[in-house]
Amino acid sequence: MLGEKYFELDMSYWGRSRRLVIQILCIWALVAYGLPALVLETNKMNYLGFPLGYYTCAQVIPLFFGALLLIFNHVQEGIEADQMDGKPMVEAASSAALNAVLMKVYVAYTGGFVSFVLFLGFLEAVGVPDQAIGILFVIFTLGMYAAIGIASRTSKSDDFYVAGRNVPPIFNGMATAADWMSGASFVGMAGTLYALGYDGLAYITGWTGGYVLVSTVIAPYLRRFGSFTVPEFIASRYQGTVQLPGGKVVEMSGFARFLATIVLLSCSFTYLTAQVFSTGVIVSRFIGIQFEVAVFSGLIGVLFCSLLGGMRAVTYTQVAQYVILIIAYTVPAICMSTTQDDGFNKNNPVEFLVYGGTLQAIALREKEMVLLGLASKVTPYLEPKWRRVDFFALTFCLMVGTASLPHVLMRYFTTPSVRSARRSVTWSLGFILVLYMTAPAYAAFAKLEVYTNVIGQPLSVLPQWVFTYGKIGLTSVCGKAVTSVNEAVEACAQATGGDYLLRLKDLKISKDAMVIATPEIAGLPYTIAGLVSAGGLAASLSTADGLLLAISNALSHDIYFRLIDDKASIQKRLLISRVLLVVIALMAAGTAASKPADILSMVAWAFSLAASGNFPALVLGIWWRRTNAQGAIAGIICGWGLTLTYLLGTVYGGWELWGGISNVAAAVFGLPVGFAANIIVSLLTSPPPDNVLAMVDSLRDFKVTGEDLTAEELEDIKEKEEALARTQVLQVSNTAEATAEATAELTI
């Protein structure tokens, strides 16, 4: 009988869904960590000229994650169909109609942008100055984003906070991809691969693998809950009371909300600073203004979109930005790919199939430079230099951080249904893979160009891009940012520039310059370089949009409305949110102007802060009924606090690294502490209130929540929000009274 009962429970909706998630995550972990562990052995084998270990981590593993999500969606939707007696779930007609309209609009938009690029190419051919073309690119893209913000302006709270919850999955996937592929991905990823070689693939594996966690563990449940922000979910999930020594009973959901907002601010502001920094790099290069001025100038397009239309304007702007950034990233790679002839490929435009011969040429050139005396020692590009524990620690932190970033999770609040949220995650990863599959090829092509055509050349024939980027501090020769041949000769302490051959150690290129400089390094037309600048600007601004909204919404909604003035009108709250947008943007620009670190490092810090602060509370809140407010608060304070302490101590306090683990993987310490503190404190204190347990059950049980809700079936967001606020106040009051009575009885 007991076995039959267990079997029956296991075949319930929640039992089958849970078993599927466990199976998917086991396969995910085996591939994500098992294959990279074998890289030294598999690199000895070749496939189309590629060392198999390198190619597996660069191309095969990310593609496998995408296939895994497709399988998960198919099986999960089958489980849900069984709950509906085999009847398919139909999306709202309005969502399908909107999808058709958006498809026509963005196809026309893409055609218009391509025509604009071709027109600028014509201008270059007839002799228009390069700087004028760069200015046209920047002004056109910023103006277009501002125009979308104006066209999408709104005063409705549902549009401002969650884009009306009716964004079709494919377009939400594009918007998420643009939101995700920040300056770190567009500007920093290829540069990091250029500098680190194989070790840089930890970023690709971590950032793509994280979307498996998003889809299976968190996003669908947050969408089913239907909140505006991540702190709102945490406050609702972690209700409960505690009696102070004086006898006063205190509700803890407000404190949990406050801590979740602090975590959001810490990771989002760090991430935002990185985006503003990359914007400054691009604008200063292509308009020719000072970096500090460029940082503030780049905020104009961001503020137009965020101020006027909130999430609605940001969503449609991000779709437009994705189109630009992916064209800008792939076109130079395709141009360079068609010039390759490695014995396996000739004039092949599919860049991720072509660069195997380039990798072999890099390995040969590394040995040649040592033999010619151009380098005393060269670290092999294709072999791991880090300890395996360092590679896996960073990969793990990036994966978990991906599933914890508030501005990414917010995107899945905008879909029409839970099923749409899952599909959106898969679309997101698919669109992201277009860039991440290209980045290793981009880095390899640039590496070979520099090794072949710059290293070993006399100072007198150094290419102009070395001096162009020296003006903004992104390149240096012999330890000095030079702007002319004479300065290079002086920096290298030479009498003339004709005899001295540039050595490998003499040339330093910032990782943040590599992508925008590669078209010039490869000798491509300047229009392509301007296109790349427009793409980098799109990547940075799209992420800055999402981050600014996440921060301002959390402050206006979770702090001001929920904790300070719960009677504030919608208009007042939107006004406060817009004021905060401006203040936060200016603070981020001021911080970025001080150039605190390279872009990718700042972003990795944000991932560690989000992972240690949010992930334990989110995962345990969904998957473990017993976790309570005391445990969540303890977990956030201990996990996030330890990660922040390690970051500050190693970056600014002169601390030694613990176990040699870099601070970009700081969450490897804070995350397990956060989980342990949450679990231990929860077990030592009283269980959550009944209304919270009922809420957790509603997240898990398809029958409890009814059919997958569509946008047409949702109530007006304003009314729902006010009703939710009144309900939570009533629940808090009832819970406090019940707890006080129970405490009194125990005392008696």
Side-chain angles (χ1 to χ4, degrees):
M1 294 294 293
L2 180 61
E4 292 179 4
K5 182 178 180 182
Y6 177 81
F7 182 76
E8 180 183 353
L9 288 173
D10 191 55
M11 294 306 293
S12 68
Y13 171 76
W14 174 246
R16 294 173 66 189
S17 298
R18 180 177 55 191
R19 184 172 60 187
L20 173 63
V21 168
I22 292 172
Q23 291 168 343
I24 291 292
L25 291 183
C26 287
I27 297 171
W28 164 82
L30 181 64
V31 171
Y33 296 99
L35 294 181
L38 301 174
V39 65
L40 291 176
E41 292 74 23
T42 53
N43 255 352
K44 297 174 184 177
M45 297 178 277
N46 281 291
Y47 171 73
L48 295 178
F50 290 94
L52 190 58
Y54 185 96
Y55 192 76
T56 297
C57 292
Q59 317 289 165
V60 176
I61 292 178
L63 279 177
F64 180 82
F65 292 148
L68 199 60
L69 284 189
L70 289 174
I71 295 170
F72 170 71
N73 285 347
H74 177 74
V75 178
Q76 184 64 48
E77 289 179 13
I79 294 173
E80 292 173 355
D82 290 344
Q83 300 297 308
M84 301 194 54
D85 301 322
K87 294 185 296 183
M89 291 179 291
V90 181
E91 295 287 354
S94 62
S95 179
L98 179 60
N99 188 75
V101 171
L102 291 176
M103 192 68 72
K104 293 178 181 177
V105 169
Y106 284 108
V107 167
Y109 161 83
T110 303
F113 179 72
V114 171
S115 300
F116 173 72
V117 174
L118 294 175
F119 173 69
L120 291 185
F122 169 76
L123 293 182
E124 180 182 6
V126 298
V128 173
D130 290 348
Q131 189 171 6
I133 293 174
I135 292 173
L136 285 175
F137 262 119
V138 172
I139 291 177
F140 175 80
T141 51
L142 285 178
M144 186 167 48
Y145 305 150
I148 294 175
I150 294 171
S152 305
R153 62 188 181 277
T154 183
S155 58
K156 294 177 61 178
S157 62
D158 61 333
D159 283 341
F160 192 88
Y161 286 118
V162 289
R165 296 194 198 275
N166 68 344
V167 182
I170 184 171
F171 291 101
N172 195 54
M174 293 179 75
T176 305
D179 202 349
W180 172 256
M181 289 190 297
S182 59
S185 292
F186 192 99
V187 177
M189 174 62 76
T192 296
L193 291 172
Y194 174 93
L196 299 180
Y198 170 82
D199 294 326
L201 297 177
Y203 288 95
I204 290 181
T205 304
W207 280 339
T208 55
Y211 276 88
V212 178
L213 289 177
V214 173
S215 184
T216 58
V217 178
I218 294 178
Y221 304 99
L222 292 184
R223 176 60 188 88
R224 183 165 288 161
F225 177 72
S227 63
F228 278 170
T229 65
V230 171
E232 184 173 21
F233 169 79
I234 289 185
S236 298
R237 171 58 181 88
Y238 292 109
Q239 298 175 42
T241 58
V242 63
Q243 187 173 23
L244 300 179
K248 183 179 179 181
V249 177
V250 178
E251 167 59 40
M252 289 178 290
S253 64
F255 190 43
R257 183 192 297 272
F258 176 76
L259 287 177
T261 305
I262 294 298
V263 172
L264 182 150
L265 291 175
S266 66
C267 61
S268 297
F269 187 80
T270 305
Y271 209 154
L272 176 61
T273 301
Q275 309 320 307
V276 178
F277 182 95
S278 62
T279 300
V281 169
I282 295 167
V283 174
S284 63
R285 162 66 185 94
F286 288 95
I287 292 187
I289 59 178
Q290 189 177 352
F291 173 80
E292 290 76 10
V293 177
V295 162
F296 286 93
S297 301
L299 293 178
I300 297 174
V302 180
L303 291 175
F304 258 106
C305 298
S306 305
L307 281 172
L308 296 174
M311 181 61 83
R312 180 184 175 189
V314 165
T315 296
Y316 297 131
T317 303
Q318 286 174 335
V319 175
Q321 289 165 331
Y322 177 81
V323 172
I324 291 179
L325 74 87
I326 210 63
I327 291 174
Y329 204 87
T330 54
V331 166
I334 291 172
C335 291
M336 291 184 285
S337 176
T338 56
T339 65
Q340 305 300 309
D341 184 2
D342 58 8
F344 299 97
N345 296 277
K346 184 175 182 180
N347 306 127
N348 188 339
V350 186
E351 67 280 352
F352 59 83
L353 295 177
V354 173
Y355 69 100
T358 304
L359 294 177
Q360 291 184 354
I362 290 172
L364 291 174
R365 179 60 176 167
E366 287 171 342
K367 297 176 182 178
E368 187 179 67
M369 287 189 296
V370 174
L371 292 175
L372 294 175
L374 299 174
S376 57
K377 181 181 179 182
V378 179
T379 305
Y381 185 73
L382 300 176
E383 296 179 9
K385 278 76 72 181
W386 295 351
R387 300 174 302 171
R388 290 186 181 180
V389 66
D390 297 325
F391 186 94
F392 291 143
L394 178 57
T395 300
F396 176 72
C397 291
L398 296 176
M399 285 178 171
V400 177
T402 298
S404 309
L405 284 174
H407 78 282
V408 173
L409 296 178
M410 277 176 60
R411 290 246 45 101
Y412 304 110
F413 297 155
T414 67
T415 57
S417 64
V418 176
R419 181 178 67 163
S420 296
R422 280 196 304 269
R423 290 184 173 185
S424 287
V425 180
T426 306
W427 278 113
S428 301
L429 182 56
F431 288 124
I432 289 168
L433 284 176
V434 178
L435 186 145
Y436 280 8
M437 296 286 286
T438 304
Y442 210 116
F445 294 149
K447 190 84 168 179
L448 186 60
E449 285 287 340
V450 171
Y451 276 6
T452 304
N453 298 322
V454 181
I455 305 302
Q457 299 300 313
L459 296 178
S460 58
V461 297
L462 287 181
Q464 182 59 39
W465 62 264
V466 173
F467 309 125
T468 300
Y469 288 93
K471 293 178 182 178
I472 54 177
L474 296 180
T475 59
S476 66
V477 175
C478 296
K480 182 180 179 181
V482 299
T483 60
S484 66
V485 170
N486 290 336
E487 289 184 10
V489 171
E490 181 181 349
C492 297
Q494 299 299 311
T496 67
D499 299 326
Y500 183 79
L501 302 182
L502 191 72
R503 296 170 297 176
L504 181 62
K505 70 175 184 178
D506 295 334
L507 179 66
K508 302 296 180 185
I509 306 174
S510 169
K511 290 182 287 187
D512 300 333
M514 186 49 59
V515 166
I516 58 176
T518 293
E520 294 166 87
I521 293 173
L524 297 177
Y526 187 83
T527 299
I528 301 296
L531 175 64
V532 171
S533 74
L537 200 58
S540 299
L541 294 183
S542 61
T543 304
D545 281 330
L547 290 164
L548 278 172
L549 270 184
I551 295 172
S552 64
N553 288 356
L555 290 175
S556 63
H557 181 77
D558 290 294
I559 298 298
Y560 181 78
F561 176 59
R562 294 298 192 192
L563 300 180
I564 298 175
D565 183 6
D566 60 359
K567 295 182 176 59
S569 65
I570 293 293
Q571 290 73 22
K572 185 175 182 181
R573 284 151 49 200
L574 292 182
L575 175 62
I576 289 173
S577 182
R578 284 164 170 152
V579 170
L580 288 170
L581 276 171
V582 176
V583 173
I584 295 162
L586 292 175
M587 290 174 59
T591 305
S594 66
K595 301 182 180 180
D598 66 87
I599 295 171
L600 215 61
S601 294
M602 287 188 280
V603 167
W605 298 343
F607 277 75
S608 279
L609 291 170
S612 58
N614 283 336
F615 195 71
L618 290 172
V619 170
L620 293 177
I622 295 167
W623 292 84
W624 189 41
R625 294 174 84 245
R626 182 61 176 79
T627 186
N628 60 19
Q630 295 95 318
I633 291 170
I636 293 173
I637 291 174
C638 295
W640 176 80
L642 178 60
T643 300
L644 181 64
T645 301
Y646 184 67
L647 275 174
L648 295 177
T650 53
V651 176
Y652 301 108
W655 290 10
E656 294 291 331
L657 298 177
W658 297 350
I661 299 294
S662 171
N663 54 45
V664 295
V668 78
F669 302 110
L671 188 64
V673 170
F675 269 108
N678 191 321
I679 294 170
I680 292 171
V681 173
S682 292
L683 292 174
L684 293 177
T685 51
S686 58
D690 289 342
N691 65 293
V692 172
L693 295 177
M695 186 197 83
V696 175
D697 290 338
S698 74
L699 295 178
R700 297 174 169 189
D701 196 334
F702 192 82
K703 287 292 186 183
V704 172
T705 55
E707 295 184 9
D708 204 6
L709 297 179
T710 64
E712 287 183 344
E713 295 166 324
L714 292 171
E715 298 179 3
D716 179 81
I717 296 298
K718 176 181 176 181
E719 295 177 1
K720 179 183 175 183
E721 182 187 30
E722 301 295 344
L724 178 62
R726 290 193 297 270
T727 301
Q728 288 180 342
V729 170
L730 180 60
Q731 289 173 344
V732 169
S733 176
N734 292 340
T735 304
E737 292 175 5
T739 306
E741 290 175 4
T743 305
E745 290 176 5
L746 289 174
T747 304
I748 293 173

